[in-house]
Amino acid sequence: MSIEKPAGAPVQTRLSPARRKFLAGLAGAAGSGCLMALGAGLYATQSRALAAQALRPPGALPEEEFLAACTRCGLCVRDCPYDTLKLAAPGDPAPTGTPYFTARTIPCEMCEEIPCIKPCPTGALNPALVDIADARMGLAVLIDQENCLNFLGLRCDVCYRVCPVIDQAITLEKQHNIRSDRHAMLLPTVHSAHCTGCGKCEAACVLPEAAIKALPIPLAQGKLGEHYRKGWEERKKHGGSLIGDQLELPVRGLEDKPYGDSRINDDPPSDAPGAASGLDSRWKP
Amino acid sequence: METVNAARRPTPNLPGRDAVARKGWLAAHKWLLLRRTCQLGIIGLFLAGPWFGIWIVKGNLSSSLTLGVLPLTDPYLLLQMLAAGFAPAATAVAGALIVTAFYLLAGGRVFCAWVCPVNILTDAAAWGRRRFAIKTNHAPDARARYWLLAGVLAAAAATGILAWEWVNPVSLAHRGLLFGMGAGLWFLAAVFFYDLLVASRGWCGHLCPMGAFYSLLGKTALLRVAAPARNACDDCMDCFAVCPEPRVIRPALKKAGQESPVILDALCTTCGRCVDICGRKVFRLTHRFDQRSSP
């Protein structure tokens, strides 16, 4: 039982009941409104990540900026002639409403006109991108060297053949097959300077699960420290070493052999290991 | 058997019986039918492209392109974009200005009643409440929407992304219908059941920040509902029962604080349901300056 106030006792408050009610209502309104906004902000921050298999359309701004710029209208999706682009529904691998594509399902066909960029009303897809070869939707990575058929010594080459930037974005690098000791392996090798991340290699990979995958660039690529300088590049740029030439010494007993004496740059070496078998042709692409 | 059922579950006195009896079914549903036609027609225009290859309107309510020339952008979304620190391209700005100008003229919350797809859902929930006599009502203060309106902008500024778009039922619904709903269905189900079981007109009438934004554009609305025949009112309360913002009716109908018979409150969505539901033909859809008032 609550304690009852004696009838007629003055209410001990400086606020009139009407004002009290008004303030309580205001606090309730502010509370529920701000709480919902807070919830939305938290949820959005939690689920802002782009999944590894989701790639952005060509010309998309860096992810942070893109999530502020994209209205989620789907005009890019509508103008994609190959149904590559999708708008993410809640539960899809990209933040709600934003355009993405899954390379393994339908890769980007790299239209010369880039029709998906043109209708973007905000510039979330940057109209400054005019040459599709400059697009960087992602980066292909030969992610599974254990199951890639070329790494097993077979000549699959499918990813290399379908690459729209063949021989630049993907090259085949020849290596000696140590297992058989008598064959070559032609290893598909991606070069980030030319890969647009279209994902055609991933879509075409013949394995049940692709050995080569187009990934969002932050996942696919490392980054050198800003202060790093590559000695050989600097030397070329300046016409000589900036810190004086390195002292080069032969390995004792292997003087005059190219693999033991760095002062000799003899190509091809005549007596490197493997040469004895006579099977290493030393062919370089 | 029948009498037992009737006694156990009396049919609630649904508003509109009088109107149907006096004016006929069609006249008692005229604006409702027009409104549904408009809402579904807009969705249909967007769907004609992907379904039948007839490209009239592309995109969705967030941004669209009509006949390849007319860009439209949700102005509230543009404000969030600016708050998030992104300067959008001219097309989006132009689109937002066109939409703003239109709703300043027509009436801000005309969007809510005639365009927004969530309205169909919450109207269904409101009908369910009347039909099944659900009386539980834990609606927040109706001003909460303005705090949410500001909070959404603050969230965009704090996170640097369009945070509200992760949960906004309005864009989720429209985008879902056009591009695939996915798990968005759960958000919409939440809104429906919130309105049906928890709070009367809870979403559209108390919380939705888009509705709040459009109400701010509604101060100069030309298209308005008026009660010129208010003297014929027989206090049946049907209009209050169906109105999504019941408090807007009283000043015009009962001369509470104003002489004009025009409903001037910017929260009125101009849905015209009161016009339909009134058997005495008290209301009519008219313009802001129509001061006619029959004796």
Side-chain angles (χ1 to χ4, degrees):
Chain A
M1 289 298 287
S2 60
I3 300 160
E4 280 178 38
K5 279 178 189 156
V11 183
Q12 293 297 312
T13 173
R14 279 170 294 167
L15 297 172
S16 69
R19 183 149 183 80
R20 180 178 284 267
K21 199 178 166 205
F22 170 79
L23 287 175
L26 196 65
S32 35
C34 293
L35 204 64
M36 283 190 72
L38 196 70
L42 272 175
Y43 174 64
T45 312
Q46 279 284 305
S47 50
R48 73 203 298 177
L50 189 67
Q53 72 271 35
L55 299 174
R56 290 290 185 209
L61 296 174
E63 192 62 13
E64 281 297 296
E65 219 179 328
F66 187 78
L67 291 179
C70 172
T71 62
R72 295 130 204 258
C73 67
L75 283 170
C76 54
V77 175
R78 290 292 186 236
D79 282 4
C80 172
Y82 296 98
D83 285 338
T84 301
L85 295 176
K86 300 269 173 273
L87 269 199
D92 282 351
T96 300
T98 56
Y100 75 103
F101 69 97
T102 313
R104 187 66 166 165
T105 318
I106 310 179
C108 173
E109 294 287 341
M110 286 177 61
C111 312
E112 226 169 278
E113 300 287 314
I114 329 183
C116 51
I117 291 185
K118 293 203 171 93
C120 180
T122 62
L125 302 182
N126 194 345
L129 179 72
V130 287
D131 182 359
I132 190 65
D134 293 334
R136 291 294 175 269
M137 297 168 262
L139 179 61
V141 181
L142 206 152
I143 208 161
D144 187 358
Q145 303 192 351
E146 291 175 344
N147 290 309
C148 170
L149 296 183
N150 276 38
F151 270 79
L152 293 177
L154 305 175
R155 286 299 302 276
C156 163
D157 298 1
V158 167
C159 55
Y160 164 77
R161 294 283 165 206
V162 299
C163 179
V165 205
I166 185 169
D167 280 326
Q168 295 178 71
I170 303 185
T171 56
L172 292 176
E173 300 295 328
K174 184 173 159 285
Q175 257 187 32
H176 174 61
N177 186 340
I178 305 166
R179 182 182 54 77
S180 71
D181 200 28
R182 64 191 62 214
H183 300 97
M185 297 194 296
L186 288 132
L187 305 182
T189 307
V190 180
H191 303 277
S192 65
H194 296 103
C195 176
T196 63
C198 72
K200 293 200 86 165
C201 52
E202 178 180 344
C205 179
V206 300
L207 300 186
E209 183 69 48
I212 189 165
K213 287 183 166 135
L215 302 174
I217 287 175
L219 276 180
Q221 203 168 25
K223 198 179 175 190
L224 273 180
E226 293 285 338
H227 61 290
Y228 271 63
R229 297 290 179 274
K230 292 167 185 161
W232 54 95
E233 284 178 0
E234 296 297 313
R235 197 179 306 153
K236 206 176 280 176
K237 212 187 299 174
H238 298 285
S241 173
L242 294 171
I243 53 168
D245 276 321
Q246 206 180 333
L247 188 61
E248 309 228 26
L249 292 171
V251 179
R252 181 165 298 182
L254 293 176
E255 293 92 346
D256 305 330
K257 306 258 192 279
Y259 51 87
D261 190 342
S262 59
R263 293 169 301 182
I264 298 168
N265 188 12
D266 182 24
D267 199 30
S270 52
D271 51 357
S277 67
L279 288 170
D280 191 342
S281 68
R282 307 207 172 279
W283 179 84
K284 284 242 188 291
Chain B
M1 189 67 185
E2 269 178 23
T3 47
V4 171
N5 265 343
R8 194 180 293 161
R9 213 178 43 173
T11 318
N13 193 15
L14 287 172
R17 293 194 168 174
D18 183 47
V20 172
R22 284 169 183 273
K23 303 194 291 190
W25 191 90
L26 204 62
H29 293 86
K30 179 175 124 190
W31 291 107
L32 182 66
L33 291 174
L34 279 172
R35 211 153 56 78
R36 293 285 178 258
T37 311
C38 180
Q39 288 166 329
L40 298 174
I42 287 170
I43 294 168
L45 280 180
F46 278 102
L47 280 175
W51 284 8
F52 310 114
I54 308 164
W55 294 102
I56 302 163
V57 192
K58 275 183 188 176
N60 60 33
L61 289 182
S62 302
S63 258
S64 63
L65 189 64
T66 304
L67 296 170
V69 288
L70 176 69
L72 297 175
T73 293
D74 173 4
Y76 183 45
L77 192 58
L78 193 91
L79 282 183
Q80 291 171 57
M81 207 173 282
L82 294 171
F86 180 77
T91 312
V93 179
L97 288 176
I98 294 169
V99 172
T100 307
F102 173 78
Y103 285 110
L104 276 174
L105 280 176
R109 292 199 71 194
V110 164
F111 171 84
C112 300
W114 292 80
V115 180
C116 181
V118 173
N119 172 270
I120 302 173
L121 200 68
T122 55
D123 270 359
W127 177 86
R129 286 181 78 86
R130 293 195 295 272
R131 176 65 184 80
F132 301 107
I134 300 168
K135 298 290 182 200
T136 49
N137 194 357
H138 304 285
D141 192 292
R143 287 165 297 180
R145 56 184 131 186
Y146 295 107
W147 288 91
L148 186 52
L149 164 75
V152 163
L153 293 174
T159 56
I161 58 180
L162 303 176
W164 185 245
E165 284 310 296
W166 266 258
V167 291
N168 183 2
V170 177
S171 55
L172 272 178
H174 197 251
R175 200 191 307 121
L177 288 169
L178 306 185
F179 292 92
M181 193 65 85
L185 211 55
W186 295 103
F187 286 88
L188 299 179
V191 168
F192 176 77
F193 286 110
Y194 177 69
D195 264 30
L196 182 71
L197 302 174
V198 182
S200 173
R201 296 287 180 180
W203 180 256
C204 301
H206 297 78
L207 290 172
C208 179
M210 277 181 86
F213 175 80
Y214 280 110
S215 84
L216 296 180
L217 297 186
K219 308 276 185 199
T220 55
L222 292 181
L223 206 61
R224 295 275 73 175
V225 175
R230 54 191 166 189
N231 293 335
C233 173
D234 63 355
D235 295 322
C236 71
M237 299 295 282
D238 278 2
C239 56
F240 286 96
V242 295
C243 180
E245 299 281 349
R247 69 182 65 193
V248 307
I249 298 178
R250 222 174 83 85
L253 185 62
K254 297 293 168 193
K255 294 190 189 178
Q258 72 175 50
E259 271 303 306
S260 164
V262 180
I263 295 177
L264 293 169
D265 198 314
L267 284 174
C268 171
T269 66
T270 322
C271 69
R273 195 74 188 105
C274 53
V275 183
D276 283 348
I277 213 77
C278 182
R280 306 277 170 167
K281 299 186 181 172
V282 167
F283 299 97
R284 56 177 292 159
L285 228 78
T286 178
H287 58 83
R288 189 178 194 84
F289 308 105
D290 184 359
Q291 299 299 333
R292 278 174 297 176
S293 186
S294 54

